[in-house]
Structures are given as structure tokens and as C-alpha cells.
Amino acid sequence: MHRPVEMVEVGARDGLQNEPELVPTETKIALIERMMDAGARRIEVASFVHPKWVPQMADAEAVVAGLPKRDDVTYVGLVLNKRGLLRALDSRDTGGGIDEVGCVAVASDGFGEKNQGMGWEASVDVVRDICRLAHAEDMAVQATISVAFGDPFDGAVPMARVVDMAKRIAEANPKELALGDTIGVAVPAQVTELFSRLREAIPHIPLRAHFHNTRNTGIANVWAAYQAGVSIIDASLGGLGGCPFAPKATGNVATEDVVYMLAQSGVDSGLDLDRLIGAARWFEGKIGKPLPSMLARAGGFPTGQ
């Protein structure tokens, strides 16, 4: 076996935030529970953002309150500003409780203004502030640089800028730093180069990869990141996902597709593929449409008769 991978399940947050029909709170909780049954131990469960901008996340506190308390599971909440962080902190002692917060810096001004109302430099300052406040409250905190490989409004994003952002964020000591291909434009060669640069620039900070499969390069990008030394991968059950502020962006890489690729390559993810496929098919019934996942349709490796 090769170096194992830690999977971060983002389907209940990033996966659902762009769904046009509101998913009931109890269905979200059931989805998270099925992911835990499949072995997920780090799960992004909610986004503490204004419901005006992301209506699907309006029930963030209710979802957290309905989750079981699990010492072996880390529940993650996304926060974009101090107000969101305070909501997450208030949710620590209800239901399952938020164990960790994630914050986001944006690598370009175009998407930054649309998504967070600020340019890339200001977003770095916000992330540094969130890290500082979270540390003061003994809350684990990680960070993501979104649109790290391209912006839907500004186009190409200079790698040098992303590396500079990573250095500045690393000074705030997040537990890890992710690169997000928010609009799914990256290709493996870029992934290898940028993650390799980051490993040289911030060798003391673990790196995480977050890919969308908009242009069908997501799975290849996951493998490129792994080969570049990344051991933490975001994925979404069934390939759910998209971004309300990124035109034409589609879902995240599907958890079951990633797990299949890793398993067939001798890499342990800690997740049960059959249960993942079952959960994806169950959720298709809940939302009344097929999911993008290939494994949900094809199944795992044939066992023969």
C-alpha cells in the first residue's frame, strides 16, 4: 500500500449549496449520517453565511443541532467573516457541535468581489483575522485559497500570487491550507507545479486539494495532487456541487469515484466504496435526479461470477 489519504466529505455543504430546491434539514442530517456509516470521519456539515446569499445553508444551526456527538468525527463549518465565526463558535455545544472552521481567501478580484465583496488582498487579511480569532477561542481552523487555478471573470490567476497568498496565510498558522479549483479549469501539470511550489514555500503546513469536475479533469487532478505530496482530499458524495457565484461551475469530484481510483491504486482512504455507492443512490431518490458520479452508475470493479 502507498501513503494513505484523509478524505474530507464536503457534500453536505459545498455539494448542496447550489441545489435549486431546498433540501430538508432532516435529509441533510441523514446524508451526513450515511457518510459516517461509510467511514467518513471529517465532514463539512454547514456554511455559516447569510441565508440571503446561500438559502440552502439557512438551517446551518439546525443541522448541527441534529447531528450525533461523535468523538471520532470532526464536524467542519465554513465561515467567511467574523460574524460567521461567532455563529460557528455558538454551535460548538449544541448537538454534534462544530469542531473546526474553514475560511476562504480568493485568488482574484473578480470572483472575490462577487463571492465575498472584496479583492484578493483583503480576503487574505480576513482569513488571517479569522485564524487569529479562532485560535483565541481554541477552535481548530483551516484555510482554502479558492479560484487558485483560474477565475470566471478575470481569467488566469498567476501562480506567484497564489504562493504569496499561501505564505501570508501560513503566518496565521492554520492547521492546513487547501487550493481550490472552484471552476474546474485546472489540469494535472498545473496541479503538480503549484502544489510543488507550495510545499517548498510552506513546508510546515499540510496541504489539501479541492477540485471541481467541470471540465472532466477532476479525478486526474486528484492523482496529480497526490503524487505532488498532498494527503488530504476534498470530495462530495455523488459529485454534488457547484458555486452560486461561479457561472457554469459544476460539482466537486465524486467521493466514490475518488475512492475507487485510490483503492485500485493501492491507496487507503478509510471509506467503504459499496456504502458510498448506496448512499449516492439513496440521495438520488431524495432529490429526484441522477448524480454526476460515474461509480453510482457503473458500480465498483467487477467481481465476476
Side-chain angles (χ1 to χ4, degrees):
M1 295 291 285
H2 302 291
R3 182 182 82 252
V5 159
E6 178 187 10
M7 299 291 295
V8 182
E9 175 57 41
V10 301
R13 197 283 302 174
D14 199 13
L16 294 183
Q17 68 177 3
N18 211 37
E19 285 296 309
E21 300 294 330
L22 292 180
V23 177
T25 301
E26 57 270 23
T27 302
K28 294 177 183 177
I29 294 170
L31 172 63
I32 294 166
E33 290 177 334
R34 284 174 182 261
M35 292 307 303
M36 289 189 285
D37 290 342
R41 293 296 177 263
R42 192 168 170 208
I43 307 173
E44 199 174 56
V45 298
S47 177
F48 295 94
V49 297
H50 198 294
K52 174 183 177 182
W53 304 116
V54 189
Q56 193 69 256
M57 295 291 110
D59 60 349
E61 282 85 355
V63 169
V64 176
L67 292 173
K69 187 66 177 177
R70 292 275 300 264
D71 292 337
D72 62 336
V73 175
T74 297
Y75 296 130
V76 183
L78 179 74
V79 302
L80 297 182
N81 50 38
K82 181 179 178 180
R83 181 176 178 82
L85 175 61
L86 293 175
R87 288 175 60 193
L89 291 170
D90 286 343
S91 297
R92 279 195 292 191
D93 299 319
T94 60
I98 290 295
D99 304 300
E100 174 186 314
V101 295
C103 51
V104 181
V106 183
S108 62
D109 290 336
F111 186 77
E113 292 291 348
K114 294 280 186 180
N115 189 50
Q116 293 174 221
M118 65 186 73
W120 70 268
E121 291 183 288
S123 76
V124 171
D125 292 335
V126 169
V127 163
R128 287 163 56 97
D129 286 344
I130 290 173
C131 288
R132 176 179 57 82
L133 293 169
H135 289 317
E137 295 292 335
D138 294 321
M139 172 66 82
V141 56
Q142 37 93 345
T144 298
I145 299 177
S146 68
V147 293
F149 297 91
D151 173 273
F153 307 102
D154 295 348
V157 174
M159 285 192 183
R161 178 192 299 167
V162 177
V163 173
D164 178 64
M165 293 174 68
K167 290 178 179 178
R168 292 172 60 189
I169 292 170
E171 292 173 353
N173 199 32
K175 66 176 288 185
E176 71 194 19
L177 179 65
L179 294 182
D181 182 21
T182 312
I183 60 171
V185 292
V187 296
Q190 292 173 298
V191 171
T192 299
E193 181 176 355
L194 189 49
F195 272 113
S196 296
R197 288 195 189 186
L198 256 62
R199 288 190 71 197
E200 293 179 3
I202 52 171
H204 59 296
I205 301 289
L207 300 177
R208 193 177 83 250
H210 180 106
F211 296 112
H212 286 245
N213 201 37
T214 311
R215 291 165 178 82
N216 206 33
T217 57
I219 294 293
N221 289 337
V222 169
W223 188 247
Y226 178 78
Q227 291 188 310
V230 177
S231 296
I232 311 167
I233 304 293
D234 287 356
S236 173
L237 182 74
L240 283 162
C243 178
F245 308 102
K248 299 181 181 178
T250 56
N252 297 265
V253 289
T255 305
E256 56 271 36
D257 293 358
V258 173
V259 167
Y260 174 82
M261 177 191 68
L262 293 175
Q264 292 298 113
S265 304
V267 179
D268 181 31
S269 67
L271 299 182
D272 185 299
L273 183 59
D274 289 338
R275 291 191 177 189
L276 291 173
I277 293 172
R281 290 172 177 169
W282 166 82
F283 197 67
E284 285 181 335
K286 289 296 182 180
I287 61 174
K289 63 180 181 181
L291 297 177
S293 160
M294 303 301 287
L295 265 288
R297 294 194 291 274
F301 194 88
T303 57
Q305 300 297 325

